[in-house]
Every structure is written in C-alpha cells, then in structure tokens.
Coordinates of all heavy atoms in Angstrom, one line a residue:
V261 N 1.9 7.6 12.2 CA 2.3 6.8 13.3 C 1.3 6.7 14.4 O 0.9 5.7 15.0 CB 3.7 7.2 13.9 CG1 4.0 6.5 15.2 CG2 4.8 7.0 12.9
R262 N 0.7 7.9 14.8 CA -0.3 8.0 15.8 C -1.6 7.2 15.3 O -2.2 6.4 16.1 CB -0.7 9.4 16.1 CG 0.3 10.2 17.0 CD -0.4 11.4 17.5 NE -0.7 12.4 16.5 CZ 0.1 13.4 16.2 NH1 1.2 13.6 16.9 NH2 -0.2 14.3 15.3
R263 N -2.0 7.4 14.1 CA -3.2 6.8 13.6 C -3.1 5.2 13.5 O -4.0 4.5 13.9 CB -3.5 7.3 12.2 CG -4.8 6.7 11.5 CD -5.0 7.3 10.2 NE -5.6 8.7 10.3 CZ -6.9 9.0 10.4 NH1 -7.8 8.0 10.3 NH2 -7.3 10.2 10.5
Y264 N -1.9 4.7 13.1 CA -1.8 3.3 12.9 C -1.0 2.6 14.0 O -0.5 1.5 13.8 CB -1.1 3.0 11.5 CG -1.7 3.8 10.4 CD1 -1.0 4.6 9.5 CD2 -3.1 3.6 10.1 CE1 -1.5 5.3 8.5 CE2 -3.7 4.3 9.0 CZ -2.9 5.1 8.2 OH -3.5 5.7 7.2
S265 N -1.0 3.2 15.2 CA -0.1 2.7 16.2 C -0.5 1.3 16.6 O 0.4 0.5 17.0 CB -0.2 3.6 17.5 OG -1.6 3.7 17.9
R266 N -1.8 0.9 16.6 CA -2.2 -0.5 16.9 C -1.7 -1.5 15.9 O -1.6 -2.7 16.3 CB -3.7 -0.5 17.1 CG -4.3 0.3 18.2 CD -3.6 0.1 19.6 NE -4.2 0.8 20.6 CZ -3.9 2.0 21.0 NH1 -2.8 2.6 20.4 NH2 -4.5 2.6 22.0
H267 N -1.5 -1.1 14.7 CA -0.8 -1.9 13.7 C 0.7 -2.0 14.0 O 1.3 -3.1 13.9 CB -1.0 -1.4 12.3 CG -2.3 -1.9 11.7 ND1 -2.6 -1.4 10.4 CD2 -3.3 -2.7 12.1 CE1 -3.8 -2.0 10.1 NE2 -4.2 -2.7 11.1
L268 N 1.3 -0.9 14.3 CA 2.7 -0.8 14.4 C 3.3 -1.7 15.6 O 4.4 -2.2 15.5 CB 3.2 0.6 14.6 CG 2.8 1.6 13.5 CD1 3.2 3.0 13.9 CD2 3.3 1.2 12.2
I269 N 2.5 -1.9 16.6 CA 2.9 -2.7 17.7 C 2.7 -4.2 17.5 O 3.1 -5.0 18.4 CB 2.3 -2.3 19.1 CG1 0.8 -2.4 19.0 CG2 2.7 -0.8 19.4 CD1 0.1 -2.0 20.3
I270 N 2.1 -4.6 16.4 CA 2.0 -6.0 16.0 C 3.3 -6.4 15.3 O 3.6 -5.9 14.3 CB 0.8 -6.3 15.1 CG1 -0.5 -5.8 15.7 CG2 0.7 -7.8 14.7 CD1 -1.7 -5.9 14.7
P271 N 4.0 -7.4 15.9 CA 5.3 -7.7 15.3 C 5.2 -8.1 13.8 O 6.1 -7.7 13.0 CB 5.8 -8.9 16.1 CG 5.1 -8.7 17.5 CD 3.7 -8.1 17.1
D272 N 4.2 -8.8 13.4 CA 4.1 -9.2 12.0 C 3.8 -8.1 11.0 O 4.0 -8.2 9.8 CB 3.0 -10.3 11.8 CG 3.5 -11.6 12.4 OD1 4.7 -11.8 12.7 OD2 2.6 -12.5 12.6
V273 N 3.3 -7.0 11.5 CA 3.0 -5.8 10.7 C 4.1 -4.8 10.9 O 4.9 -4.6 10.0 CB 1.6 -5.2 11.0 CG1 1.4 -4.0 10.1 CG2 0.5 -6.2 10.9
G274 N 4.2 -4.1 12.0 CA 5.2 -3.2 12.4 C 5.3 -2.0 11.4 O 4.4 -1.8 10.6
M275 N 6.4 -1.3 11.4 CA 6.6 -0.1 10.6 C 6.7 -0.5 9.1 O 6.2 0.1 8.3 CB 7.9 0.6 11.0 CG 7.8 1.3 12.3 SD 6.7 2.8 12.2 CE 7.8 3.9 11.3
I276 N 7.4 -1.6 8.8 CA 7.6 -2.1 7.4 C 6.3 -2.4 6.8 O 5.9 -2.0 5.7 CB 8.6 -3.2 7.3 CG1 10.0 -2.8 7.8 CG2 8.6 -3.8 5.9 CD1 10.6 -1.8 6.9
G277 N 5.5 -3.2 7.5 CA 4.2 -3.6 7.0 C 3.3 -2.4 6.8 O 2.6 -2.3 5.7
Q278 N 3.3 -1.4 7.7 CA 2.4 -0.3 7.5 C 2.9 0.6 6.4 O 2.1 1.2 5.7 CB 2.4 0.5 8.8 CG 1.3 1.6 8.9 CD -0.1 1.0 8.8 OE1 -0.4 0.1 9.5 NE2 -0.9 1.5 7.9
K279 N 4.2 0.7 6.2 CA 4.7 1.4 5.0 C 4.3 0.7 3.7 O 4.1 1.4 2.7 CB 6.3 1.5 5.1 CG 6.8 2.4 6.2 CD 8.3 2.4 6.3 CE 8.8 3.4 7.3 NZ 10.3 3.4 7.4
R280 N 4.3 -0.6 3.7 CA 3.8 -1.3 2.5 C 2.3 -0.9 2.2 O 2.0 -0.7 1.1 CB 3.9 -2.8 2.7 CG 5.4 -3.3 2.8 CD 5.4 -4.8 2.8 NE 6.7 -5.4 3.2 CZ 7.7 -5.5 2.4 NH1 7.7 -5.1 1.1 NH2 8.9 -6.0 2.8
L281 N 1.5 -0.9 3.3 CA 0.1 -0.5 3.1 C 0.0 0.9 2.5 O -0.8 1.2 1.7 CB -0.7 -0.7 4.4 CG -0.9 -2.1 4.9 CD1 -1.6 -2.0 6.3 CD2 -1.7 -2.9 4.0
K282 N 0.8 1.8 3.1 CA 0.8 3.2 2.6 C 1.1 3.3 1.1 O 0.6 4.1 0.4 CB 1.8 4.0 3.4 CG 1.9 5.5 3.0 CD 2.8 6.3 3.8 CE 2.9 7.7 3.3 NZ 3.8 8.5 4.2
N283 N 2.0 2.4 0.7 CA 2.5 2.4 -0.7 C 1.6 1.6 -1.7 O 1.8 1.6 -2.9 CB 3.9 1.9 -0.8 CG 4.8 2.6 -1.8 OD1 4.5 3.8 -2.1 ND2 5.8 2.0 -2.3
A284 N 0.6 0.9 -1.1 CA -0.2 0.0 -1.9 C -1.3 0.7 -2.7 O -1.8 1.8 -2.3 CB -0.9 -1.0 -1.0
R285 N -1.6 0.1 -3.8 CA -2.7 0.6 -4.7 C -3.7 -0.6 -4.9 O -3.4 -1.6 -5.5 CB -2.2 1.1 -6.0 CG -1.3 2.3 -5.9 CD -0.7 2.6 -7.3 NE -1.7 2.9 -8.3 CZ -2.2 4.1 -8.5 NH1 -1.9 5.1 -7.8 NH2 -3.2 4.3 -9.5
V286 N -4.9 -0.4 -4.3 CA -5.9 -1.5 -4.3 C -7.2 -1.0 -5.0 O -7.7 0.1 -4.8 CB -6.3 -2.0 -2.9 CG1 -7.4 -3.0 -2.9 CG2 -5.0 -2.5 -2.2
L287 N -7.7 -1.9 -5.9 CA -8.9 -1.5 -6.7 C -10.0 -2.4 -6.1 O -10.0 -3.6 -6.1 CB -8.7 -1.8 -8.1 CG -9.9 -1.5 -9.0 CD1 -10.3 0.0 -9.1 CD2 -9.7 -2.1 -10.5
M288 N -11.1 -1.7 -5.7 CA -12.3 -2.4 -5.2 C -13.3 -2.3 -6.3 O -13.7 -1.2 -6.8 CB -12.9 -1.7 -3.9 CG -14.2 -2.3 -3.5 SD -14.1 -4.0 -2.9 CE -13.3 -3.8 -1.3
I289 N -13.8 -3.5 -6.7 CA -14.9 -3.5 -7.8 C -16.2 -3.6 -7.1 O -16.6 -4.6 -6.5 CB -14.7 -4.7 -8.7 CG1 -13.2 -4.6 -9.3 CG2 -15.7 -4.6 -9.9 CD1 -12.9 -5.8 -10.2
G290 N -16.9 -2.5 -7.1 CA -18.3 -2.5 -6.5 C -18.2 -1.8 -5.1 O -17.3 -2.0 -4.3

C-alpha cells in the first residue's frame, strides 16, 4: 500500500486495479 499509493489514489486504478497487477503474470520477450 505504501509503495503503490500513487496508483491507489487514482480512481480508475485504486485497490482493485493494484490487486490485479499484483496477481498478473506478464512475459517480456527481450
């Protein structure tokens, strides 16, 4: 919460959006 606080206060992201990012698995090629 402390680390991502600037995301959490954006209405379109918020707690739900940040929890989605935490749960995400992204593959970068290169």
Side-chain angles (χ1 to χ4, degrees):
V261 170
R262 282 197 294 262
R263 178 177 287 269
Y264 307 127
S265 61
R266 298 304 186 270
H267 274 177
L268 302 180
I269 59 178
I270 302 175
D272 288 346
V273 180
M275 287 290 288
I276 294 296
Q278 194 62 50
K279 288 179 180 179
R280 294 187 193 277
L281 292 176
K282 178 180 179 177
N283 217 23
R285 296 174 59 87
V286 177
L287 179 66
M288 176 67 74
I289 306 175

